[in-house]
Amino acid sequence: MLDGKKILLVVSGGIAAYKTPDLVRRLRQLGAGVRCVLTRGGAQFVTPLALGAVSEDTVYQEIFSLTDENEMGHIRLSREADLVLVAPATANILAKMTQGIADDLATTALLATDKPILVAPAMNVRMWENAATQHNIKTLAARGIGFIGPEEGDMACGEWGLGRMSEPEAIAAAIENFFRRDLPLTGTRSLVTSGPTHEAIDPVRYIANRSSGKQGHAIAAALAGLGSQTTLVAGPGHQPDPKGVDVVKVETAVQMLEACRQALPVDVAVCAAAVSDWRVDTVAGGKIKKSGRKKTPALKLVENPDILASLSAPGNSRPRLVIGFAAETDDLLANATAKRAKKGCDWIIANDVSPQTGTFSGDNNTVHLITDKGVEDWPTLAKTDVAERLAGRIAETLSPAP
Ligand code: C5P
């Protein structure tokens, strides 16, 4: 997720420059805005037209071009971004950066910027290993410049070794991590269940419930937004996959439990799914027919596994924090408090789902957070705001401020 982030991409003159349109495309798909500066060498390997088309922006090239300077001074160009990325970064541009040489627009912008710089080196293995390059790398790293790669592999020159530019996918992932570095849940893992389950009766019929998955999906998005590596185990529904979240789609309670187990270990688990308490004992192999029957068919139900209780059970893989929901229509707080004790979870979020509240398919939710410290009544909030507030509380608990 790079929503709204502005990246200034400096493309210097290595063969790997041909991969930069793909890199720009990926960064933009993640939500970033990308503006490109092309060195003279870079322009030998990728055209300004290609970069302009994928970035949907002007590609800047010459410091002494009056057009470029009038449209956007090099200082502004270097400061407007949230991050400057040099990819590919040749041995030459790394050497210029080390020395503070500013003899074209790219190196001038790199010298003028007050923003973080990441570089993705790309060069022949001998050039990479050369003492001069190694010295430059150490100097740049000591100044806080971040390195992505290089990787080991076949080189365009026919040799093999360290010096290949990281693939665009890996560069994009490293940039996502870079922006996550200061977030309160960076380094943690979360698991969220969401939506209803469908328990088959026969190949065409199933038992379901009214859960929309809005609240659970919003919680997964909020946890990922705070930097947690989040898995969302989602029952059938129409909610779009939240960005930056690993989504595992399931149908039944049994599948949901299995998917949750696969996602362990996690630091926090939030069970927001409306899991069917029962499933049909023997699912009919073919559609149950009405015609030719003397009696109305009866369904024999068996109990489903309780995912929340199972995740809350003591053991090595128990998450540090397990949170359940208690959707009730009567005696909300008493039932929710009893449920917290019965399931063994740490927190429970009680919400009234009586039809008049419109909670099930609506956008708002009125909840009470029950912890070992007591009951907190939250005001009626949008489900997205409930999610953000909850994620904030989770962050305070998992990584308390020093
Ligand atoms: O028992 P009840 O369904 O009311 O409990 C609600 C809480 O338990 C919710 O957090 C729900 O996600 C979770 N639950 C579960 N597995 C079940 C039933 C409920 O995880 N089989």
Side-chain angles (χ1 to χ4, degrees), residues 178-338:
F178 172 82
F179 281 113
R180 270 193 216 118
R181 74 200 187 288
D182 292 332
L183 294 172
L185 286 175
T186 295
T188 67
R189 289 166 55 90
S190 304
L191 166 66
V192 180
T193 69
S194 181
T197 61
H198 284 181
E199 308 295 337
I201 297 170
D202 65 21
V204 293
R205 303 180 179 96
Y206 54 80
I207 299 171
N209 61 64
R210 292 183 192 283
S211 169
S212 64
K214 265 187 199 156
Q215 186 63 80
H217 278 57
I219 292 168
L223 289 167
L226 292 188
S228 191
Q229 194 186 322
T230 305
T231 302
L232 171 66
V233 180
H238 303 291
Q239 295 303 313
D241 291 354
K243 279 191 197 153
V245 169
D246 295 326
V247 182
V248 183
K249 295 200 169 132
V250 296
E251 291 264 328
T252 68
V254 170
Q255 290 167 356
M256 191 172 269
L257 175 65
E258 181 50 29
C260 287
R261 289 202 170 131
Q262 294 287 332
L264 295 177
V266 295
D267 298 279
V268 57
V270 183
C271 291
V275 184
S276 173
D277 288 321
W278 300 280
R279 66 179 182 277
V280 176
D281 190 14
T282 312
V283 178
K287 185 181 172 191
I288 302 171
K289 293 270 184 231
K290 194 161 86 176
S291 55
R293 264 183 193 283
K294 289 206 181 72
K295 278 204 306 192
T296 307
L299 294 178
K300 182 166 179 262
L301 301 178
V302 286
E303 208 168 311
N304 263 330
D306 191 313
I307 300 163
L308 176 61
S310 149
L311 292 171
S312 302
N316 287 343
S317 57
R318 188 192 192 280
R320 282 196 275 159
L321 189 60
V322 184
I323 304 170
F325 271 76
E328 303 286 341
T329 52
D330 308 288
D331 294 330
L332 177 62
L333 293 182
N335 282 332
T337 306

